[in-house]
Coordinates of all heavy atoms in Angstrom, one line a residue:
M1 N 17.4 6.9 -13.3 CA 18.5 6.4 -12.6 C 18.3 5.0 -12.1 O 19.3 4.3 -12.1 CB 18.7 7.3 -11.4 CG 20.0 8.0 -11.4 SD 19.9 9.4 -10.2 CE 21.0 8.9 -9.0
F2 N 17.1 4.6 -11.7 CA 16.9 3.3 -11.1 C 15.9 2.6 -12.1 O 15.1 3.3 -12.8 CB 16.3 3.4 -9.7 CG 17.2 3.9 -8.7 CD1 17.1 5.3 -8.3 CD2 18.2 3.2 -8.2 CE1 18.0 5.8 -7.3 CE2 19.1 3.7 -7.3 CZ 19.0 5.0 -6.9
P3 N 15.8 1.3 -12.0 CA 14.8 0.6 -12.8 C 13.4 1.1 -12.3 O 13.2 1.4 -11.1 CB 15.0 -0.8 -12.5 CG 16.5 -0.9 -12.1 CD 16.8 0.4 -11.4
V4 N 12.4 1.0 -13.1 CA 11.1 1.5 -12.8 C 10.5 0.8 -11.6 O 10.0 1.5 -10.7 CB 10.1 1.3 -14.0 CG1 8.7 1.7 -13.7 CG2 10.6 2.2 -15.2
A5 N 10.7 -0.5 -11.5 CA 10.1 -1.2 -10.3 C 10.7 -0.7 -9.0 O 9.9 -0.5 -8.1 CB 10.3 -2.7 -10.5
I6 N 12.0 -0.5 -9.0 CA 12.6 0.0 -7.7 C 12.2 1.4 -7.5 O 11.9 1.7 -6.3 CB 14.2 -0.1 -7.9 CG1 14.5 -1.6 -7.9 CG2 14.8 0.6 -6.7 CD1 16.0 -1.9 -8.2
A7 N 12.1 2.2 -8.5 CA 11.7 3.6 -8.3 C 10.2 3.7 -7.8 O 9.9 4.5 -6.9 CB 11.8 4.4 -9.6
V8 N 9.3 2.8 -8.3 CA 7.9 2.8 -7.9 C 7.9 2.4 -6.4 O 7.2 3.0 -5.6 CB 7.1 1.9 -8.8 CG1 5.7 1.5 -8.1 CG2 6.9 2.5 -10.1
L9 N 8.6 1.3 -6.1 CA 8.5 0.8 -4.7 C 9.1 1.8 -3.7 O 8.6 2.1 -2.6 CB 9.3 -0.5 -4.5 CG 8.5 -1.8 -5.0 CD1 9.4 -3.0 -4.8 CD2 7.2 -1.9 -4.3
A10 N 10.3 2.4 -4.1 CA 10.9 3.5 -3.3 C 9.9 4.7 -3.0 O 9.9 5.2 -1.9 CB 12.2 3.9 -3.9
T11 N 9.2 5.1 -4.1 CA 8.3 6.2 -4.0 C 7.2 5.9 -3.0 O 6.8 6.6 -2.1 CB 7.7 6.6 -5.4 OG1 8.8 6.9 -6.2 CG2 6.8 7.7 -5.3
F12 N 6.6 4.7 -3.2 CA 5.5 4.3 -2.3 C 6.0 4.2 -0.8 O 5.3 4.6 0.1 CB 4.9 2.9 -2.7 CG 3.8 3.1 -3.7 CD1 4.0 3.2 -5.1 CD2 2.5 3.2 -3.3 CE1 3.0 3.3 -6.0 CE2 1.4 3.3 -4.2 CZ 1.7 3.4 -5.5
I13 N 7.2 3.6 -0.6 CA 7.7 3.4 0.7 C 8.0 4.8 1.3 O 7.7 5.0 2.5 CB 8.9 2.5 0.8 CG1 8.5 1.1 0.4 CG2 9.6 2.5 2.1 CD1 9.7 0.1 0.1
F14 N 8.6 5.7 0.6 CA 8.8 7.0 1.1 C 7.6 7.7 1.5 O 7.5 8.4 2.5 CB 9.6 7.9 0.0 CG 9.9 9.2 0.5 CD1 10.9 9.5 1.4 CD2 9.1 10.3 0.0 CE1 11.2 10.8 1.8 CE2 9.4 11.6 0.4 CZ 10.4 11.8 1.4
C15 N 6.5 7.6 0.7 CA 5.2 8.2 1.0 C 4.7 7.6 2.3 O 4.1 8.4 3.1 CB 4.3 8.1 -0.2 SG 4.7 9.1 -1.6
G16 N 4.8 6.3 2.4 CA 4.4 5.7 3.7 C 5.2 6.2 4.9 O 4.6 6.4 6.0
M17 N 6.5 6.4 4.7 CA 7.3 6.9 5.8 C 6.9 8.3 6.2 O 6.9 8.7 7.4 CB 8.8 6.9 5.4 CG 9.3 5.5 5.3 SD 11.0 5.4 4.5 CE 11.9 6.2 5.8
V18 N 6.5 9.2 5.2 CA 6.0 10.5 5.5 C 4.7 10.4 6.3 O 4.5 11.1 7.3 CB 5.7 11.3 4.2 CG1 5.0 12.6 4.5 CG2 7.1 11.6 3.5
H19 N 3.8 9.5 5.9 CA 2.6 9.3 6.7 C 2.9 8.8 8.1 O 2.3 9.3 9.1 CB 1.6 8.3 6.0 CG 0.9 8.9 4.9 ND1 1.4 9.2 3.7 CD2 -0.4 9.2 4.8 CE1 0.5 9.6 2.9 NE2 -0.6 9.7 3.5
D20 N 3.8 7.9 8.2 CA 4.2 7.4 9.5 C 4.9 8.5 10.4 O 4.6 8.6 11.6 CB 5.3 6.2 9.4 CG 4.6 4.9 9.0 OD1 3.4 4.7 9.4 OD2 5.3 4.1 8.3
A21 N 5.6 9.4 9.8 CA 6.3 10.5 10.5 C 5.2 11.4 11.1 O 5.3 11.8 12.3 CB 7.2 11.2 9.6
I22 N 4.2 11.7 10.3 CA 3.1 12.6 10.8 C 2.3 11.9 11.9 O 2.0 12.6 12.9 CB 2.2 13.0 9.6 CG1 3.0 13.9 8.6 CG2 0.9 13.7 10.1 CD1 2.3 14.1 7.3
T23 N 2.0 10.7 11.8 CA 1.2 10.0 12.8 C 2.1 9.8 14.1 O 1.6 9.9 15.2 CB 0.7 8.6 12.4 OG1 1.8 7.8 12.0 CG2 -0.3 8.8 11.3
T24 N 3.4 9.7 13.9 CA 4.3 9.6 15.1 C 4.3 10.9 15.8 O 4.3 10.9 17.1 CB 5.7 9.2 14.6 OG1 5.7 7.9 14.0 CG2 6.7 9.2 15.8
I25 N 4.3 12.0 15.1 CA 4.3 13.3 15.8 C 3.0 13.5 16.6 O 3.1 13.9 17.8 CB 4.4 14.4 14.7 CG1 5.9 14.4 14.1 CG2 4.1 15.8 15.3 CD1 6.0 15.3 12.9
F26 N 1.9 13.1 16.0 CA 0.6 13.3 16.8 C 0.4 12.2 17.8 O -0.2 12.6 18.9 CB -0.5 13.3 15.8 CG -0.6 14.6 15.0 CD1 -0.2 14.7 13.7 CD2 -1.2 15.7 15.6 CE1 -0.2 15.9 13.0 CE2 -1.3 16.9 14.9 CZ -0.8 17.0 13.6
R27 N 0.9 11.0 17.6 CA 0.6 10.0 18.6 C 1.7 9.9 19.7 O 1.5 9.3 20.7 CB 0.5 8.6 17.9 CG -0.7 8.5 17.1 CD -0.8 7.2 16.3 NE -0.9 6.1 17.2 CZ -0.3 4.9 17.0 NH1 0.3 4.6 15.9 NH2 -0.4 3.9 17.9
G28 N 2.9 10.4 19.3 CA 4.0 10.3 20.2 C 4.6 8.9 20.3 O 5.3 8.6 21.3
K29 N 4.3 8.0 19.4 CA 4.8 6.7 19.4 C 5.1 6.3 17.9 O 4.3 6.5 17.0 CB 3.6 5.8 19.9 CG 4.0 4.3 20.0 CD 2.8 3.5 20.6 CE 3.1 2.1 20.5 NZ 1.9 1.3 20.9
A30 N 6.3 5.7 17.7 CA 6.7 5.3 16.4 C 5.9 4.1 15.9 O 5.5 3.2 16.6 CB 8.2 4.9 16.4
S31 N 5.6 4.2 14.6 CA 4.9 3.1 13.9 C 5.3 3.1 12.5 O 5.6 4.1 11.9 CB 3.3 3.4 14.0 OG 2.6 2.5 13.2
F32 N 5.3 1.9 11.9 CA 5.7 1.8 10.5 C 4.5 1.2 9.7 O 4.7 0.6 8.6 CB 7.0 0.9 10.4 CG 8.1 1.6 11.0 CD1 8.6 1.2 12.2 CD2 8.8 2.6 10.4 CE1 9.7 1.7 12.9 CE2 9.8 3.3 11.0 CZ 10.3 2.8 12.2
F33 N 3.3 1.4 10.2 CA 2.1 0.8 9.6 C 2.0 1.3 8.1 O 1.8 0.5 7.2 CB 0.9 1.2 10.4 CG -0.4 0.5 9.9 CD1 -0.7 -0.7 10.2 CD2 -1.2 1.2 9.0 CE1 -1.9 -1.3 9.8 CE2 -2.4 0.7 8.5 CZ -2.7 -0.6 8.9
F34 N 2.1 2.6 7.9 CA 1.8 3.1 6.6 C 3.0 2.7 5.6 O 2.7 2.5 4.4 CB 1.7 4.6 6.6 CG 0.4 5.1 7.2 CD1 0.3 5.6 8.5 CD2 -0.8 5.0 6.4 CE1 -0.9 6.0 9.0 CE2 -2.0 5.4 7.0 CZ -2.1 5.9 8.3
S35 N 4.2 2.6 6.1 CA 5.3 2.2 5.3 C 5.0 0.8 4.7 O 5.2 0.5 3.5 CB 6.6 2.2 6.0 OG 6.9 3.5 6.4
V36 N 4.5 -0.1 5.6 CA 4.3 -1.5 5.2 C 3.1 -1.5 4.2 O 3.1 -2.1 3.1 CB 4.0 -2.4 6.4 CG1 3.5 -3.8 5.9 CG2 5.2 -2.5 7.3
W37 N 2.0 -0.7 4.5 CA 0.8 -0.6 3.7 C 1.2 -0.1 2.3 O 0.8 -0.7 1.3 CB -0.2 0.2 4.4 CG -1.6 0.2 3.7 CD1 -2.0 -0.6 2.7 CD2 -2.7 1.1 4.0 NE1 -3.3 -0.3 2.4 CE2 -3.7 0.7 3.2 CE3 -2.9 2.1 4.9 CZ2 -5.0 1.4 3.2 CZ3 -4.1 2.7 5.0 CH2 -5.1 2.4 4.2
F38 N 2.0 0.9 2.3 CA 2.3 1.5 1.0 C 3.3 0.6 0.2 O 3.2 0.6 -1.0 CB 3.0 2.9 1.2 CG 2.0 4.0 1.4 CD1 0.9 3.8 2.3 CD2 2.1 5.2 0.8 CE1 0.0 4.9 2.5 CE2 1.2 6.2 1.0 CZ 0.1 6.1 1.9
L39 N 4.1 -0.2 0.9 CA 4.9 -1.2 0.2 C 4.0 -2.2 -0.5 O 4.2 -2.5 -1.7 CB 5.8 -1.9 1.2 CG 6.5 -3.2 0.7 CD1 7.5 -2.9 -0.4 CD2 7.1 -3.9 1.8
F40 N 3.0 -2.7 0.2 CA 2.1 -3.6 -0.4 C 1.3 -3.0 -1.6 O 1.1 -3.6 -2.6 CB 1.1 -4.2 0.6 CG 1.6 -5.2 1.5 CD1 1.5 -5.2 2.8 CD2 2.4 -6.3 0.9 CE1 2.0 -6.2 3.7 CE2 2.9 -7.3 1.8 CZ 2.7 -7.2 3.1
M41 N 0.9 -1.7 -1.5 CA 0.2 -1.0 -2.6 C 1.2 -0.8 -3.8 O 0.7 -1.0 -4.9 CB -0.4 0.3 -2.1 CG -1.6 0.1 -1.2 SD -2.6 1.5 -0.9 CE -1.5 2.5 0.1
G42 N 2.4 -0.5 -3.5 CA 3.4 -0.4 -4.6 C 3.6 -1.7 -5.3 O 3.7 -1.8 -6.5
L43 N 3.6 -2.8 -4.5 CA 3.7 -4.2 -5.1 C 2.5 -4.5 -6.0 O 2.6 -5.1 -7.0 CB 3.9 -5.2 -4.0 CG 5.3 -5.2 -3.3 CD1 5.3 -6.2 -2.2 CD2 6.4 -5.6 -4.3
A44 N 1.3 -4.1 -5.5 CA 0.1 -4.3 -6.2 C 0.1 -3.5 -7.6 O -0.3 -4.0 -8.6 CB -1.1 -3.8 -5.4
V45 N 0.6 -2.3 -7.5 CA 0.8 -1.5 -8.8 C 1.7 -2.3 -9.8 O 1.3 -2.4 -10.9 CB 1.4 -0.1 -8.5 CG1 1.8 0.6 -9.8 CG2 0.3 0.7 -7.8
L46 N 2.8 -2.8 -9.3 CA 3.7 -3.5 -10.1 C 3.1 -4.8 -10.7 O 3.3 -5.1 -11.9 CB 5.0 -3.8 -9.4 CG 5.9 -2.5 -9.0 CD1 7.1 -2.9 -8.2 CD2 6.3 -1.8 -10.3
I47 N 2.4 -5.5 -9.8 CA 1.8 -6.7 -10.3 C 0.7 -6.5 -11.3 O 0.7 -7.1 -12.4 CB 1.2 -7.5 -9.1 CG1 2.3 -8.0 -8.2 CG2 0.3 -8.6 -9.5 CD1 1.9 -8.5 -6.8
T48 N -0.2 -5.5 -11.1 CA -1.2 -5.2 -12.0 C -0.6 -4.7 -13.3 O -1.2 -5.0 -14.4 CB -2.3 -4.2 -11.5 OG1 -1.6 -3.0 -11.1 CG2 -3.0 -4.8 -10.3
K49 N 0.5 -3.9 -13.2 CA 1.1 -3.5 -14.4 C 1.7 -4.6 -15.2 O 1.6 -4.7 -16.5 CB 2.2 -2.4 -14.1 CG 2.6 -1.6 -15.2 CD 3.5 -0.4 -14.7 CE 3.8 0.5 -15.8 NZ 3.3 1.8 -15.6
S50 N 2.4 -5.5 -14.5 CA 3.0 -6.7 -15.2 C 2.0 -7.6 -15.8 O 2.2 -8.3 -16.8 CB 3.9 -7.4 -14.3 OG 3.2 -8.2 -13.3
L51 N 0.8 -7.7 -15.2 CA -0.3 -8.5 -15.8 C -1.1 -7.7 -16.9 O -2.0 -8.3 -17.5 CB -1.3 -8.9 -14.7 CG -0.7 -9.8 -13.6 CD1 -1.8 -10.0 -12.5 CD2 -0.3 -11.1 -14.2
K52 N -0.7 -6.5 -17.1 CA -1.3 -5.6 -18.1 C -2.8 -5.4 -17.9 O -3.6 -5.3 -18.8 CB -1.0 -6.2 -19.5 CG 0.4 -6.2 -19.9 CD 0.6 -6.6 -21.3 CE 2.1 -6.8 -21.7 NZ 3.2 -6.5 -21.0
N53 N -3.1 -5.3 -16.6 CA -4.5 -5.0 -16.2 C -4.8 -3.5 -16.6 O -4.0 -2.7 -16.2 CB -4.8 -5.2 -14.7 CG -4.9 -6.7 -14.4 OD1 -4.9 -7.5 -15.3 ND2 -4.9 -7.0 -13.1
N54 N -5.9 -3.3 -17.3 CA -6.3 -2.0 -17.6 C -7.7 -1.8 -17.4 O -8.6 -2.4 -18.1 CB -5.9 -1.7 -19.1 CG -6.2 -0.3 -19.5 OD1 -6.8 0.5 -18.7 ND2 -5.8 0.1 -20.7
F55 N -8.1 -1.1 -16.4 CA -9.5 -0.9 -16.0 C -10.2 0.3 -16.7 O -11.3 0.6 -16.5 CB -9.7 -0.8 -14.5 CG -9.0 -1.9 -13.7 CD1 -8.2 -1.6 -12.6 CD2 -9.1 -3.2 -14.1 CE1 -7.6 -2.6 -11.9 CE2 -8.5 -4.2 -13.4 CZ -7.8 -3.9 -12.2
S56 N -9.4 1.0 -17.6 CA -9.9 2.2 -18.1 C -11.2 2.0 -19.0 O -12.0 3.0 -19.2 CB -8.9 2.9 -18.9 OG -8.5 2.2 -20.0
G57 N -11.4 0.8 -19.5 CA -12.6 0.6 -20.4 C -13.8 0.3 -19.5 O -14.9 0.2 -20.1
Q58 N -13.7 0.2 -18.2 CA -14.8 -0.2 -17.4 C -15.5 1.1 -16.9 O -14.9 2.2 -16.9 CB -14.3 -0.9 -16.1 CG -13.5 -2.2 -16.4 CD -14.4 -3.2 -17.0 OE1 -15.5 -3.4 -16.7 NE2 -13.8 -4.0 -17.9
V59 N -16.8 1.0 -16.5 CA -17.5 2.1 -16.0 C -16.9 2.5 -14.7 O -16.2 1.7 -14.0 CB -19.0 1.8 -15.9 CG1 -19.6 1.6 -17.2 CG2 -19.2 0.7 -14.9
W60 N -17.1 3.8 -14.3 CA -16.5 4.3 -13.1 C -16.7 3.4 -11.8 O -15.8 3.2 -11.1 CB -17.0 5.7 -12.8 CG -16.4 6.3 -11.6 CD1 -15.2 7.0 -11.5 CD2 -16.9 6.2 -10.2 NE1 -15.0 7.4 -10.2 CE2 -15.9 6.9 -9.4 CE3 -18.0 5.6 -9.6 CZ2 -16.1 7.0 -8.0 CZ3 -18.1 5.7 -8.3 CH2 -17.2 6.4 -7.5
L61 N -18.0 3.0 -11.7 CA -18.3 2.2 -10.5 C -17.5 0.9 -10.4 O -17.0 0.5 -9.3 CB -19.8 1.8 -10.5 CG -20.3 1.3 -9.2 CD1 -20.1 2.2 -8.0 CD2 -21.8 1.0 -9.3
V62 N -17.2 0.2 -11.5 CA -16.4 -1.0 -11.6 C -15.0 -0.6 -11.2 O -14.3 -1.3 -10.5 CB -16.6 -1.7 -12.9 CG1 -15.6 -2.8 -13.1 CG2 -18.0 -2.2 -13.2
R63 N -14.5 0.4 -11.9 CA -13.1 0.8 -11.6 C -12.9 1.2 -10.1 O -11.9 0.8 -9.5 CB -12.7 2.0 -12.4 CG -12.5 1.7 -13.9 CD -11.8 2.9 -14.7 NE -12.2 4.2 -14.3 CZ -13.1 4.9 -14.9 NH1 -13.8 4.5 -15.9 NH2 -13.4 6.1 -14.5
A64 N -13.9 1.9 -9.5 CA -13.8 2.2 -8.1 C -13.8 1.0 -7.2 O -13.0 0.9 -6.3 CB -14.9 3.2 -7.7
F65 N -14.7 0.1 -7.6 CA -14.7 -1.2 -6.8 C -13.4 -2.0 -6.9 O -12.9 -2.5 -5.9 CB -15.9 -2.1 -7.3 CG -15.9 -3.4 -6.6 CD1 -16.4 -3.6 -5.3 CD2 -15.5 -4.5 -7.3 CE1 -16.4 -4.8 -4.7 CE2 -15.5 -5.8 -6.7 CZ -16.0 -5.9 -5.4
L66 N -12.9 -2.1 -8.1 CA -11.6 -2.8 -8.3 C -10.5 -2.2 -7.5 O -9.7 -2.8 -6.8 CB -11.3 -3.0 -9.7 CG -12.2 -3.9 -10.6 CD1 -11.9 -3.7 -12.1 CD2 -12.1 -5.3 -10.1
N67 N -10.4 -0.9 -7.6 CA -9.3 -0.1 -6.9 C -9.5 -0.2 -5.4 O -8.5 -0.4 -4.7 CB -9.2 1.3 -7.4 CG -8.6 1.4 -8.8 OD1 -7.7 0.7 -9.1 ND2 -9.2 2.3 -9.6
L68 N -10.7 0.0 -4.9 CA -10.9 -0.2 -3.5 C -10.7 -1.6 -3.0 O -10.2 -1.8 -1.9 CB -12.4 0.2 -3.1 CG -12.6 1.7 -3.1 CD1 -14.1 2.0 -2.9 CD2 -11.8 2.4 -2.0
S69 N -10.9 -2.6 -3.8 CA -10.6 -4.0 -3.5 C -9.1 -4.2 -3.3 O -8.7 -4.8 -2.4 CB -11.2 -4.9 -4.5 OG -12.6 -4.8 -4.6
I70 N -8.4 -3.6 -4.2 CA -6.9 -3.8 -4.2 C -6.4 -3.1 -2.9 O -5.5 -3.6 -2.2 CB -6.3 -3.2 -5.4 CG1 -6.6 -4.1 -6.6 CG2 -4.7 -3.1 -5.3 CD1 -6.2 -3.5 -8.0
I71 N -6.9 -1.9 -2.6 CA -6.4 -1.1 -1.5 C -6.8 -1.9 -0.2 O -6.0 -2.0 0.7 CB -7.0 0.3 -1.5 CG1 -6.4 1.1 -2.6 CG2 -6.8 1.0 -0.1 CD1 -7.1 2.4 -2.9
S72 N -8.0 -2.5 -0.2 CA -8.5 -3.2 1.0 C -7.6 -4.5 1.2 O -7.3 -4.8 2.4 CB -9.9 -3.6 0.8 OG -10.7 -2.5 0.8
V73 N -7.3 -5.2 0.2 CA -6.5 -6.4 0.3 C -5.1 -6.0 0.8 O -4.6 -6.7 1.7 CB -6.3 -7.2 -1.0 CG1 -5.3 -8.2 -1.0 CG2 -7.7 -7.8 -1.4
C74 N -4.6 -4.9 0.3 CA -3.3 -4.4 0.8 C -3.4 -4.1 2.3 O -2.4 -4.3 3.1 CB -2.8 -3.2 0.0 SG -2.3 -3.7 -1.7
L75 N -4.5 -3.5 2.7 CA -4.7 -3.1 4.1 C -4.8 -4.3 5.0 O -4.1 -4.4 6.1 CB -6.0 -2.3 4.3 CG -6.4 -1.9 5.7 CD1 -5.3 -1.1 6.4 CD2 -7.7 -1.2 5.7
I76 N -5.5 -5.3 4.6 CA -5.6 -6.6 5.3 C -4.3 -7.3 5.5 O -3.9 -7.7 6.6 CB -6.7 -7.5 4.7 CG1 -8.1 -6.9 4.9 CG2 -6.6 -8.9 5.3 CD1 -9.1 -7.5 4.0
L77 N -3.5 -7.3 4.4 CA -2.2 -7.9 4.4 C -1.3 -7.1 5.4 O -0.5 -7.7 6.2 CB -1.5 -7.9 3.0 CG -2.0 -8.9 2.0 CD1 -1.5 -8.6 0.7 CD2 -1.7 -10.3 2.5
T78 N -1.4 -5.8 5.4 CA -0.6 -5.0 6.3 C -1.0 -5.3 7.8 O -0.1 -5.4 8.6 CB -0.9 -3.5 6.0 OG1 -0.5 -3.2 4.7 CG2 -0.1 -2.6 6.9
I79 N -2.2 -5.3 8.0 CA -2.7 -5.6 9.4 C -2.1 -6.9 9.9 O -1.5 -7.0 11.0 CB -4.2 -5.6 9.5 CG1 -4.7 -4.2 9.3 CG2 -4.7 -6.2 10.9 CD1 -6.2 -4.1 9.1
Y80 N -2.2 -8.0 9.1 CA -1.7 -9.3 9.5 C -0.2 -9.2 9.6 O 0.4 -9.8 10.5 CB -2.1 -10.4 8.6 CG -3.6 -10.8 8.8 CD1 -4.5 -10.5 7.8 CD2 -4.0 -11.3 10.0 CE1 -5.9 -10.9 8.0 CE2 -5.3 -11.6 10.2 CZ -6.2 -11.4 9.2 OH -7.6 -11.8 9.5
T81 N 0.5 -8.5 8.7 CA 2.0 -8.5 8.7 C 2.5 -7.7 10.0 O 3.4 -8.2 10.7 CB 2.5 -7.8 7.5 OG1 2.1 -8.5 6.3 CG2 4.0 -7.7 7.5
V82 N 1.9 -6.6 10.2 CA 2.3 -5.8 11.4 C 2.0 -6.5 12.7 O 2.9 -6.5 13.6 CB 1.6 -4.4 11.4 CG1 1.8 -3.7 12.7 CG2 2.1 -3.6 10.2
E83 N 0.8 -7.2 12.8 CA 0.5 -7.9 14.0 C 1.5 -9.1 14.2 O 1.9 -9.4 15.3 CB -0.9 -8.5 13.9 CG -1.9 -7.4 14.2 CD -3.4 -8.0 14.2 OE1 -3.5 -9.2 14.0 OE2 -4.3 -7.2 14.4
S84 N 1.9 -9.7 13.1 CA 2.8 -10.8 13.1 C 4.2 -10.4 13.6 O 4.8 -11.0 14.4 CB 3.0 -11.5 11.8 OG 1.8 -12.1 11.4
L85 N 4.6 -9.2 13.1 CA 5.9 -8.7 13.5 C 5.9 -8.2 15.0 O 6.9 -8.4 15.7 CB 6.3 -7.5 12.6 CG 6.6 -7.9 11.2 CD1 6.8 -6.6 10.3 CD2 7.8 -8.8 11.0
V86 N 4.8 -7.6 15.4 CA 4.7 -7.2 16.8 C 4.6 -8.3 17.8 O 5.3 -8.3 18.8 CB 3.5 -6.2 17.0 CG1 3.2 -5.9 18.4 CG2 3.7 -4.9 16.2
F87 N 3.9 -9.3 17.4 CA 3.7 -10.5 18.4 C 4.7 -11.6 18.1 O 4.6 -12.6 18.8 CB 2.2 -11.0 18.3 CG 1.3 -10.0 18.8 CD1 0.3 -9.4 17.9 CD2 1.3 -9.5 20.1 CE1 -0.6 -8.5 18.4 CE2 0.4 -8.6 20.5 CZ -0.6 -8.1 19.7
G88 N 5.5 -11.5 17.1 CA 6.6 -12.4 16.9 C 6.1 -13.8 16.3 O 6.7 -14.8 16.6
F89 N 5.1 -13.8 15.5 CA 4.6 -15.0 14.9 C 5.5 -15.4 13.7 O 5.9 -14.7 13.0 CB 3.2 -14.9 14.4 CG 2.2 -14.8 15.6 CD1 1.6 -13.6 15.8 CD2 1.9 -15.9 16.4 CE1 0.7 -13.5 16.9 CE2 1.1 -15.8 17.4 CZ 0.4 -14.6 17.7

């Protein structure tokens, strides 16, 4: 129904919203941290796909390191983005 890129981003954002809903229930305070984080991870998937990055030929340890690096960069971007939005930078 939708272009692949939009469907991928929508799926990631929806999953982030589910995580945010669960944390909101337990914390009693609304947060959109996971939605932003999953948005960045969805963008990372699209970027690596467009660059035709394929790590399948690498040994497991290299693949794990590369994937954890991508997730970590997305987390750092999320932390700075959320802090910027909260503090109005």
Side-chain angles (χ1 to χ4, degrees):
M1 240 163 113
F2 296 103
V4 173
I6 292 173
V8 166
L9 282 181
T11 301
F12 270 87
I13 293 169
F14 178 77
C15 291
M17 291 171 67
V18 170
H19 281 74
D20 283 330
I22 292 167
T23 58
T24 297
I25 290 168
F26 284 101
R27 291 177 64 212
K29 181 180 173 187
S31 170
F32 297 102
F33 183 85
F34 287 104
S35 298
V36 175
W37 189 9
F38 281 45
L39 166 67
F40 284 130
M41 288 194 290
L43 289 171
V45 166
L46 294 175
I47 290 167
T48 56
K49 196 171 187 114
S50 71
L51 295 174
K52 297 184 182 359
N53 286 351
N54 185 354
F55 307 135
S56 64
Q58 304 294 323
V59 296
W60 181 88
L61 192 58
V62 172
R63 289 193 321 263
F65 174 76
L66 291 170
N67 286 319
L68 285 173
S69 297
I70 291 169
I71 292 168
S72 298
V73 167
C74 291
L75 175 61
I76 291 167
L77 286 171
T78 301
I79 291 168
Y80 285 116
T81 301
V82 170
E83 284 182 1
S84 296
L85 293 174
V86 169
F87 295 116
F89 291 110

